[in-house]
Amino acid sequence: MLKNNLKYSIIEGSFFAFMFGLGENYLSALGVFLGYTALQISVLSSLPQLAGAFIQLASNNFAKIFKSMKALVVFLSLIQTVMWIFLIVIISSTNNYFILLLWSVVYFSVASAMGPVWISWIGYLVPKRIRSNYHASRNKIINTLIFASILLGGIILKVFENNMILAFSIMFGIGAIGRLFSSYYLNKKEDAGNTDDGDAYTYKSIIKSKTKLLFVVYNTSIHFSVMFLGPLFTIYILRTMELSYMVLTLCMAAWWVGNISSSKFWGRLGKKKGNLYLLKLSTVSMVVLPILWISVYYFDEQGRILISLIINVLAGVTFAGFGLSSFNIVFEISDKKEVVKYSSLINCLKGVAIFAGSVIAGSIVDSNWIIDFTSKYSFTSIQFSMIISTILRFFSYLALFKFEREYCERNSREISI
């Protein structure tokens, strides 16, 4: 049964990749096409995640209603399928910002309610001894298909550039089909875990652990820092540097090339050096990335394209390491039965950080005072936001130092026992 569970998990993730690559990945591009401001796009990217963040706190209760982790995940994945069909109807009928924002809130709330339960479920299905290598290999396959679907999305946008609504509708339709097949293979996996497992833990008792608390602080701060650049990337490419949708597609594809090509490297390095080493290394790279993005603006068009692609490859490598190490560390510092609640807490505070960072960043970019001030120095408001992101990421790295110290002391105590 283990072999089938591992196989089906890869297959369902592969179909999920089409929904992510052709759907979620292009939502910001849809916002730019519809003419939304930087602040509107930032809110569109972050408010749904804030709503989802608080929904996650009740994930364990939702699982109890369904009396099965598997049943809840399958049901919510089917809801996601329907949501993409709704989006096609919405963009074919109106470009109203608030309707699209409402759709995003509902969609990401569904996704967020599913997240912690899926993490706990997969934790039961994948034995600890193979977890690091398995997830590295699974991520490589899924990310390869995300890369392919992003390229497909770029081709669709290019072919139907005179009818962008049709282009986005085709992309979202394929994404819906991908999620439908993903749901089918989710249902083929074995159910595992007890929905009452988390009852022995409260959020208050979880954060009494200094190790867990410090990881939450680090994770929240790094996501807050990243949002001073993340949701503005599409605007930076399309509006600030006046590059095309095809260049945007190539940039996103380059990100996934870096992510995919580095997956096995991160997996082997994690096995050899440990997940904390990976987390430190990827965080250092995160600090540097905004500085590189600031420099791109001063190249000519060809230089902007080339350097943007290179930076996106590096960013893909960086976030592959960050994603793998942070995912595995949650299991390292948690009891298996508290994973649902602990990951819910992590994701809740992450959602708050993402919303706060995005809104502040969007306000900075749209601020007439900052636009006027920076223009005097051949600078842009987005670049100003990137400077803030760099400073905040550095402070996040300092928070990681505190977590490292407690993490090592905790492991020493366990060994001595």
Side-chain angles (χ1 to χ4, degrees):
M1 195 62 191
L2 172 62
K3 186 176 180 180
N4 284 337
N5 286 331
L6 299 180
K7 179 180 72 174
Y8 291 142
S9 187
I10 290 174
I11 295 173
E12 60 89 0
S14 299
F15 280 113
F16 166 87
F18 286 94
M19 181 194 75
F20 185 88
L22 286 162
E24 291 183 25
N25 209 65
Y26 277 99
L27 288 176
S28 291
L30 174 65
V32 173
F33 167 72
L34 294 175
Y36 300 154
T37 66
L39 180 57
Q40 285 178 317
I41 292 173
S42 294
V43 172
L44 187 64
S45 301
S46 60
L47 181 60
Q49 295 193 53
L50 177 65
F54 289 105
I55 289 289
Q56 287 191 52
L57 294 177
S59 289
N60 194 58
N61 292 330
F62 294 146
K64 284 184 180 181
I65 293 172
F66 281 79
K67 299 180 180 179
S68 162
M69 293 185 183
K70 170 184 171 179
L72 176 62
V73 170
V74 172
F75 174 75
L76 293 179
S77 66
L78 288 172
I79 295 295
Q80 279 190 308
T81 302
V82 176
M83 290 299 297
W84 287 108
I85 304 301
F86 281 165
L87 182 58
I88 294 172
V89 174
I90 289 170
I91 64 174
S92 298
S93 307
T94 180
N95 65 350
N96 185 283
Y97 173 75
F98 293 102
I99 293 177
L100 188 58
L101 180 61
L102 177 61
W103 177 90
S104 295
V105 168
V106 175
Y107 174 83
F108 283 103
S109 294
V110 170
S112 297
M114 186 192 317
V117 180
W118 181 88
I119 290 173
S120 181
W121 182 28
I122 200 72
Y124 280 99
L125 295 179
V126 182
K128 185 177 181 179
R129 68 182 185 277
I130 65 170
R131 188 175 292 150
S132 184
N133 284 337
Y134 173 76
H135 284 297
S137 298
R138 180 179 182 270
N139 288 347
K140 183 175 181 180
I141 294 169
I142 293 172
N143 292 345
T144 299
L145 290 170
I146 290 176
F147 166 73
S149 62
I150 287 171
L151 289 180
L152 177 60
I155 293 171
I156 293 172
L157 288 173
K158 181 66 177 176
V159 171
F160 297 97
E161 60 184 345
N162 293 323
N163 190 345
M164 295 290 278
I165 294 298
L166 176 60
F168 282 114
S169 297
I170 293 171
M171 291 159 60
F172 298 157
I174 298 173
I177 294 170
R179 194 41 162 164
L180 181 62
F181 280 102
S182 175
S183 303
Y184 172 77
Y185 282 99
L186 278 168
N187 194 49
K188 289 180 74 68
K189 292 195 290 186
E190 184 182 15
D191 203 356
N194 191 324
T195 55
D196 295 326
D197 282 349
D199 289 353
Y201 301 91
T202 64
Y203 293 114
K204 185 177 180 180
S205 68
I206 289 172
I207 60 174
K208 280 184 178 179
S209 164
K210 193 173 180 181
T211 308
K212 295 184 182 74
L213 177 60
L214 288 173
F215 182 74
V216 169
V217 171
Y218 159 75
N219 191 70
T220 302
S221 66
I222 194 66
H223 280 92
F224 176 73
S225 308
V226 167
M227 285 303 107
F228 279 78
L229 169 56
L232 304 173
F233 168 73
T234 303
I235 297 174
Y236 194 56
I237 295 292
L238 296 178
R239 290 183 186 168
T240 306
M241 297 198 290
E242 299 180 337
L243 301 176
S244 67
Y245 277 94
M246 182 53 68
V247 172
L248 175 66
T249 296
L250 292 175
C251 284
M252 291 189 292
W255 194 96
W256 287 104
V257 166
N259 193 286
I260 295 161
S261 61
S262 64
S263 291
K264 280 193 174 180
F265 163 77
W266 287 120
R268 288 194 297 266
L269 189 63
K271 190 173 183 180
K272 183 179 179 181
K273 297 278 192 176
N275 288 300
L276 182 60
Y277 180 84
L278 264 61
L279 195 61
K280 289 170 60 182
L281 195 59
S282 57
T283 304
V284 169
S285 182
M286 282 190 200
V287 175
V288 176
L289 286 173
I291 300 172
L292 299 179
W293 276 118
I294 290 172
S295 68
V296 176
Y297 181 74
Y298 301 103
F299 288 82
D300 59 19
E301 183 178 0
Q302 296 303 315
R304 286 177 174 179
I305 294 172
L306 177 61
I307 303 301
S308 293
L309 293 176
I310 293 172
I311 298 174
N312 271 289
V313 171
L314 177 59
V317 172
T318 298
F319 282 92
F322 172 77
L324 180 64
S325 57
S326 57
F327 179 84
N328 286 331
I329 281 177
V330 169
F331 286 100
E332 285 185 11
I333 64 177
S334 305
D335 182 84
K336 185 182 287 188
K337 294 182 178 181
E338 70 177 327
V339 167
V340 171
K341 283 192 173 178
Y342 184 49
S343 59
S344 295
L345 179 63
I346 290 171
N347 291 331
C348 176
L349 295 176
K350 181 178 80 173
V352 173
I354 286 173
F355 177 74
S358 297
V359 170
I360 295 172
S363 299
I364 288 171
V365 173
D366 282 344
S367 169
N368 290 328
W369 183 85
I370 294 176
I371 291 171
D372 292 339
F373 176 77
T374 53
S375 63
K376 297 175 183 177
Y377 302 95
S378 188
F379 215 59
T380 68
S381 56
I382 286 186
Q383 289 173 301
F384 183 76
S385 184
M386 291 175 185
I387 290 176
I388 296 175
S389 183
T390 303
I391 296 169
L392 292 173
R393 292 181 195 206
F394 174 75
F395 283 112
S396 296
Y397 187 73
L398 296 181
L400 180 57
F401 267 127
K402 290 188 176 181
F403 169 72
E404 178 187 17
R405 189 161 54 246
E406 181 61 29
Y407 175 90
C408 293
E409 289 178 3
R410 173 182 176 273
N411 286 348
S412 297
R413 289 194 298 269
E414 289 180 352
I415 292 172
S416 63
I417 292 172

